Amino acid sequence: MPRTSPWRAAHVVLAALIVALSPSIHAPAQAETASAQAQPAAAPAQPAAAQAQTAAPPAQTIAAPDQAVAPRDQAVATSAHAASYEPKPGTARAADSFRNPVNPSADPSLIYHDGSYYVATTRGDRIGIWRSRSLATLLAEPEQVVWRDGDASRDKQMWAPAFRHVGSRWYIYYTASDGVDANHRMYVLESAGDDPMGPYAFKAKIADFGEYAIDGEPITHNGQMYFVWAGPGRGMGGPAQLYIARMSNPWTVTGGRVAIPADGGCPEVREGPTPLYRNGRTFLTYSTCDTGKPDYQLWMLSIADGADPMVASNWRQHPGPVFSRNDETGVWGPGHHSFFRSPDGTEDWIAYHAKNTSTYTYDFRTTRVQRFTWNADGTPNFGRPLAAGATQRLPSGDPGAATSVINDFDPQVTYAGTWQSGSGCGNQCFWGNDHWSGQAGATATVTFTGSRVALLSVRDRGNGIAAISIDGGPEQRVDYYSGIRVGEQLNYLSPVLPYGTHTLRVRVTGERNPASGSTVISMDRIEVY
């Protein structure tokens, strides 16, 4: 998650037009019962070619397959943006599929519980949760704010909420400050009942050792709960050290802390420690290298069944990153993650944030999910990050939803006025191509059958303002400008409509905000719900 001075650059919370919710955590049974290469950021949202002209571990887990990644939804096919399940452009997508992102925010804690997915992400001034029956519709769900704090010492810079279910209560662990980064400490909320949506009440400050502390959450090993978090590294000048302490209950740390040495391929951070369990072994996965950089990535420690986590030498360091940037698919900075199981308990999934730009920025981090598998030696195999628009099968047991996707070249989209098109935008576009126009009055009309529609496309510093309407109704103005070029961003989500056939019209207004160098509007990916 973004870190501000003194140790990291200024924190910027990703602005979301709207959002959705989903989720589940790999919490062991004991806890349940305890009390790149930078893209030229030239002018408009046109393809890059044109732009160049202007500049207690559950016992049941998945057997390791022969392949490193699950063949049905992870193998990348002919296009860097196409998973093997991807239907041909212009065809309706099956009700058991989805595409990333599933939420336009960062630092996801995603769980599946009692028939619904839930996701909480960094929101800055609040704790918000999104809920959805299917992962396919999570992006279109509204945020429900479950906590705002009236205490000025902890009502700002609220980062990285993490769910835990203990007994008949839900706990949300999070980081907050008074607006000064150095004053970040960790806190926990407790639900009034057995509902992940709350209501929640403030429970406690946790693991306060008098210095900067972020990203804390519990782990359980040998039936004992521990708390792990990130704090300043000795002599390293920043939040580059992982710590662990024993817990006496879900909101109390008891005794001293122990520093856990952790490699990371860079000196900057060791943060977001998150547990994963299998066959008595506890894996501690964590993020390194500054979330604003394209090389933000996941590394991993593990500890054997029966070993004491409070003895630093009992932790085994796994070499190299276990999940990192994938320039081929246009995914940079994958990290700060959580784990969940499919609704039927047969598949393991990772939720993480990543960006569609290699530029050093804390903006534009979105939540993505994908299935992972296990190696023959019992270690997790996370594979490579899939492209944002790659169609994947839903988790096994997900009820699905009647969703579909339309590409800008599909017959459901008609254009009037002067539009250009091409594939120069590469992995920053859905199916590697898009349409764009800067001509005032030019229109793109999408005919779709459903009850809601979302538009995702490139934003850039040469983009202008669009006017968007449904079925000839009032226009909503949307600014496609961005200070850097970034692909497949959620630009518009329609209101809920009566189910049926509708038309969405995007009109190029010929206007732009003062920071923009052009009036271009792009058409790329249309999600239909």
Side-chain angles (χ1 to χ4, degrees):
M1 77 182 83
R3 306 290 178 259
T4 57
S5 59
W7 297 293
R8 299 182 59 175
H11 172 55
V12 182
V13 177
L14 171 62
L17 296 178
I18 38 71
V19 272
L21 141 83
S22 167
S24 165
I25 296 175
H26 275 64
Q30 297 93 326
E32 295 299 322
T33 57
S35 167
Q37 287 125 21
Q39 297 288 334
Q46 59 210 52
Q51 290 185 348
Q53 304 300 317
T54 55
Q60 74 282 12
T61 45
I62 309 163
D66 294 333
Q67 305 89 333
V69 290
R72 71 170 187 165
D73 56 4
Q74 302 287 324
V76 177
T78 55
S79 167
H81 279 61
S84 61
Y85 183 67
E86 184 78 58
K88 295 179 180 179
T91 62
R93 272 53 178 179
D96 64 347
S97 68
F98 76 100
R99 284 153 299 281
N100 285 317
V102 297
N103 184 284
S105 302
D107 306 329
S109 180
L110 194 154
I111 61 170
Y112 182 83
H113 175 74
D114 197 23
S116 292
Y117 297 89
Y118 301 81
V119 68
T121 63
T122 287
R123 306 302 289 156
D125 63 349
R126 63 193 185 276
I127 303 293
I129 301 176
W130 294 262
R131 172 174 54 194
S132 179
R133 299 286 291 179
S134 173
L135 203 59
T137 52
L138 187 53
L139 184 65
E141 296 297 334
E143 175 187 11
Q144 298 185 47
V145 177
V146 299
W147 181 251
R148 291 186 188 273
D149 206 314
D151 187 327
S153 70
R154 59 174 190 253
D155 65 351
K156 301 175 182 66
Q157 296 180 321
M158 298 170 73
W159 298 342
F163 288 108
R164 283 299 184 276
H165 191 206
V166 184
S168 61
R169 295 288 185 271
W170 286 90
Y171 296 89
I172 296 178
Y173 301 85
Y174 66 100
T175 305
S177 79
D178 58 0
V180 178
D181 182 57
N183 295 334
H184 264 104
R185 299 295 186 270
M186 297 172 297
Y187 304 93
V188 56
L189 306 176
E190 182 184 60
S191 68
D194 196 12
D195 185 348
M197 298 302 293
Y200 285 91
F202 182 81
K203 187 66 176 179
K205 191 179 199 177
I206 188 168
D208 184 10
F209 289 87
E211 64 183 13
Y212 186 93
I214 59 171
D215 295 359
E217 59 182 87
I219 69 171
T220 300
H221 188 73
N222 301 328
Q224 169 66 48
M225 291 182 69
Y226 301 85
F227 198 69
V228 293
W229 72 95
R234 298 294 156 253
M236 299 183 72
Q241 180 69 63
L242 300 181
Y243 292 94
I244 186 169
R246 190 172 277 105
M247 300 180 77
S248 58
N249 58 45
W251 58 91
T252 306
V253 161
T254 182
R257 62 180 178 175
V258 169
I260 306 174
D263 293 344
C266 61
E268 294 141 358
V269 298
R270 309 290 184 266
E271 63 185 20
T274 300
L276 178 63
Y277 307 94
R278 183 177 170 90
N279 297 334
R281 193 173 178 184
T282 298
F283 298 93
L284 189 62
T285 52
Y286 57 95
S287 301
T288 75
C289 298
D290 187 339
T291 190
K293 293 186 175 180
D295 287 319
Y296 194 60
Q297 56 193 242
L298 297 186
W299 285 59
M300 185 170 71
L301 295 158
S302 67
I303 190 168
D305 189 17
D308 185 354
M310 297 296 289
V311 177
S313 61
N314 285 341
W315 289 94
R316 174 193 168 194
Q317 179 71 59
H318 293 257
V322 294
F323 198 59
S324 58
R325 63 188 283 172
N326 189 347
D327 291 36
E328 179 187 6
T329 58
V331 180
W332 291 279
H336 206 112
H337 60 301
S338 57
F339 301 108
F340 66 101
R341 276 213 170 85
S342 59
D344 66 4
T346 65
E347 297 173 347
D348 292 299
W349 289 71
I350 181 173
Y352 60 97
H353 76 236
K355 300 179 295 187
N356 283 31
T357 176
S358 59
T359 302
Y360 185 178
T361 178
Y362 297 124
D363 285 331
F364 304 112
R365 297 169 301 150
T366 60
T367 293
R368 297 105 183 276
V369 302
Q370 62 189 70
R371 186 185 172 194
F372 69 92
T373 58
W374 297 87
N375 297 313
D377 66 356
T379 58
N381 189 324
F382 299 115
R384 303 295 305 283
L386 294 175
T391 293
Q392 304 175 64
R393 284 191 185 276
L394 288 165
S396 182
D398 187 302
T403 61
S404 62
V405 65
I406 299 170
N407 187 31
D408 58 291
F409 279 84
D410 289 346
Q412 297 98 316
V413 187
T414 58
Y415 300 93
T418 301
W419 289 80
Q420 295 174 274
S421 64
S423 58
C425 54
N427 59 23
Q428 287 191 310
C429 286
F430 183 62
W431 285 102
N433 53 49
D434 69 349
H435 278 73
W436 69 94
S437 176
Q439 181 191 53
T443 61
T445 301
V446 182
T447 302
F448 67 96
T449 300
S451 58
R452 208 165 199 189
V453 65
L455 300 180
L456 297 93
S457 69
V458 164
R459 290 190 190 182
D460 208 341
R461 61 190 181 202
N463 284 13
I465 296 171
I468 301 174
S469 60
I470 299 285
D471 297 332
E475 291 184 327
Q476 176 180 333
R477 300 173 81 78
V478 177
D479 193 347
Y480 279 55
Y481 168 81
S482 165
I484 60 173
R485 178 181 171 85
V486 63
E488 294 200 62
Q489 290 300 297
L490 179 62
N491 291 316
Y492 172 79
L493 179 69
S494 76
V496 176
L497 308 166
Y499 179 80
T501 299
H502 302 277
T503 58
L504 174 147
R505 191 181 76 157
V506 178
R507 180 174 63 86
V508 181
T509 64
E511 300 169 1
R512 57 184 174 85
N513 75 49
S516 180
S518 181
T519 61
V520 165
I521 301 301
S522 63
M523 292 293 296
D524 187 17
R525 172 177 156 200
I526 301 104
E527 289 283 340
V528 178
Y529 303 95

